[in-house]
Amino acid sequence: MDIKKVGVIGAGTMGRGIAELLAAKGIDVYLIDKSPEKLNDGMRLLDGSLNKQIERWALTHQEKKLLASKITPILDDRMLLECDMIIEAVSEQLEMKKQLFSSLENNIRPDAILASNTATLSLTELAEAMEHKERVIGLHFLFPAGQVRLVEIVRGLKTSEQTFQITKQFVEQTLDKTSIQVYESPGYVTTRIICTLINEALHTLSEGVATAADIDEAIRIGYGFHYGPLEMADRFGLDSVLASMETLFHELGDLKYRPNVLLKKMVRAQHLGLKTGIGFFHYSEGGERL
């Protein structure tokens, strides 16, 4: 099956990034969110991201115009019936995602693939809300979706081989990404490992061993990371990091996943990182660290 039109649910940080990636590869995208305000904010921030790329000479005005024409904002989920694949990128909350999957049953084609960008949650449990459980799969893009080469393709218990093969071909040939096959387990591969690094950085910061800037410099320069663990957490969204750690701690029961108290304090204060402009560091609206 050729995937020519994709619906992306959620116009937040990951949803926008996925929509931009798909459009850049020539895929027609329907971007949907639950309210006009959230959708308008998402489109405005997407436009700002494209303008930043023009400033860096990474994109021309003509390329921006072509890319933007591929993304159509919608509020009516019945339009998703036109899509070959739907990628869900809403908040990392199990009940919210289950309700969304259940509501989508009659608004997507029987042969359409339903993918979740969840970083920690059970694809098998999400699929229980669907009649056609075999078409549910995980597509875990890492942030930023357009730049990171890796995509985790996660199989739920009832994901069919056909669904997996179509998704794998789409990721590797259409999107030109490297994929790994992951069998369902809390946190999969990338989230499970990166959460321990972020949590240890939080412990190191809260114990006063070094400043946030110096901790990040140590890992970024010392080990060749693009971002240090604290800036990485800021860019993921501290609320999303907290949700992932709480899920891992609940599912695995290992103390290394118990979120540091400092992370909880930051989330309570709504210092969520890039999405609010302040986390462990400060950020411009265009996403640059100040």
Side-chain angles (χ1 to χ4, degrees), residues 145-268:
Q147 298 175 33
V148 178
R149 295 270 307 157
L150 181 76
V151 179
E152 289 180 300
I153 303 178
V154 188
R155 300 182 70 141
L157 185 62
K158 297 182 180 179
T159 303
S160 69
E161 181 64 22
Q162 180 184 27
T163 296
F164 172 74
Q165 291 298 337
I166 291 171
T167 304
K168 179 180 172 67
Q169 182 178 9
F170 175 67
V171 168
E172 295 185 348
Q173 296 185 15
T174 304
L175 302 185
D176 192 27
K177 298 280 190 182
T178 298
S179 73
I180 61 168
Q181 179 179 201
V182 179
Y183 291 93
E184 185 176 305
S185 177
Y188 317 135
V189 174
T190 55
T191 302
R192 182 170 177 167
I193 292 171
I194 206 64
C195 276
T196 59
L197 175 64
I198 291 172
N199 214 24
E200 196 58 40
L202 286 162
H203 292 323
T204 305
L205 178 63
S206 63
E207 291 166 15
V209 176
T211 65
D214 283 347
I215 289 168
D216 270 22
E217 286 288 274
I219 301 303
R220 187 178 63 81
I221 297 174
Y223 291 98
F225 280 46
H226 188 67
Y227 298 117
L230 298 175
E231 183 172 351
M232 199 182 300
D234 276 351
R235 292 183 178 277
F236 291 157
L238 298 188
D239 52 341
S240 297
V241 173
L242 178 60
S244 294
M245 286 188 188
E246 288 179 332
T247 298
L248 287 166
F249 184 44
H250 174 75
E251 292 287 336
L252 299 172
D254 195 319
L255 288 175
K256 67 188 175 187
Y257 296 114
R258 184 171 66 186
N260 184 278
V261 173
L262 178 58
L263 178 61
K264 294 183 178 182
K265 288 180 180 178
M266 298 285 281
V267 172
R268 290 188 193 116

Side-chain angles (χ1 to χ4, degrees), residues 27-283:
I27 303 294
D28 290 318
V29 180
Y30 280 161
L31 182 62
I32 186 169
D33 212 310
K34 60 185 178 182
S35 72
E37 294 77 19
K38 287 184 177 293
L39 189 58
N40 289 337
D41 280 348
M43 293 301 294
R44 177 178 56 80
L45 291 168
L46 178 58
D47 185 67
S49 170
L50 297 178
N51 288 336
K52 284 287 181 183
Q53 293 178 56
I54 291 174
E55 290 175 13
R56 297 196 304 266
W57 297 84
L59 199 69
T60 66
H61 287 281
Q62 187 61 35
E63 287 170 335
K64 176 198 168 181
K65 185 177 179 181
L66 179 61
L67 192 155
S69 72
K70 290 286 185 181
I71 302 175
T72 303
I74 63 170
L75 288 168
D76 185 355
D77 57 7
R78 288 175 295 182
M79 294 182 70
L80 297 175
L81 282 165
E82 300 176 24
C83 298
D84 306 303
M85 174 183 280
I86 291 85
I87 301 174
E88 166 274 310
V90 302
S91 298
E92 194 75 344
Q93 299 175 30
L94 179 61
E95 289 307 316
M96 179 189 293
K97 289 180 186 283
K98 285 173 69 174
Q99 289 174 15
L100 173 62
F101 273 46
S102 180
S103 70
L104 286 172
E105 186 72 65
N106 297 320
N107 290 327
I108 59 176
R109 298 200 318 260
D111 63 332
I113 292 172
L114 179 55
S116 174
N117 187 54
T118 179
T120 57
L121 301 176
S122 166
L123 268 300
T124 301
E125 191 166 359
L126 290 177
E128 283 304 306
M130 308 291 292
E131 180 181 349
H132 297 284
K133 298 174 178 58
E134 72 283 353
R135 63 179 174 176
V136 177
I137 197 163
L139 260 185
H140 182 214
F141 293 86
L142 278 68
F143 179 86
Q147 298 175 33
V148 178
R149 295 270 307 157
L150 181 76
V151 179
E152 289 180 300
I153 303 178
V154 188
R155 300 182 70 141
L157 185 62
K158 297 182 180 179
T159 303
S160 69
E161 181 64 22
Q162 180 184 27
T163 296
F164 172 74
Q165 291 298 337
I166 291 171
T167 304
K168 179 180 172 67
Q169 182 178 9
F170 175 67
V171 168
E172 295 185 348
Q173 296 185 15
T174 304
L175 302 185
D176 192 27
K177 298 280 190 182
T178 298
S179 73
I180 61 168
Q181 179 179 201
V182 179
Y183 291 93
E184 185 176 305
S185 177
Y188 317 135
V189 174
T190 55
T191 302
R192 182 170 177 167
I193 292 171
I194 206 64
C195 276
T196 59
L197 175 64
I198 291 172
N199 214 24
E200 196 58 40
L202 286 162
H203 292 323
T204 305
L205 178 63
S206 63
E207 291 166 15
V209 176
T211 65
D214 283 347
I215 289 168
D216 270 22
E217 286 288 274
I219 301 303
R220 187 178 63 81
I221 297 174
Y223 291 98
F225 280 46
H226 188 67
Y227 298 117
L230 298 175
E231 183 172 351
M232 199 182 300
D234 276 351
R235 292 183 178 277
F236 291 157
L238 298 188
D239 52 341
S240 297
V241 173
L242 178 60
S244 294
M245 286 188 188
E246 288 179 332
T247 298
L248 287 166
F249 184 44
H250 174 75
E251 292 287 336
L252 299 172
D254 195 319
L255 288 175
K256 67 188 175 187
Y257 296 114
R258 184 171 66 186
N260 184 278
V261 173
L262 178 58
L263 178 61
K264 294 183 178 182
K265 288 180 180 178
M266 298 285 281
V267 172
R268 290 188 193 116
Q270 289 297 295
H271 293 180
L272 306 181
L274 184 64
K275 65 177 72 175
T276 58
I278 180 173
F280 294 104
F281 306 101
H282 290 77
Y283 302 88

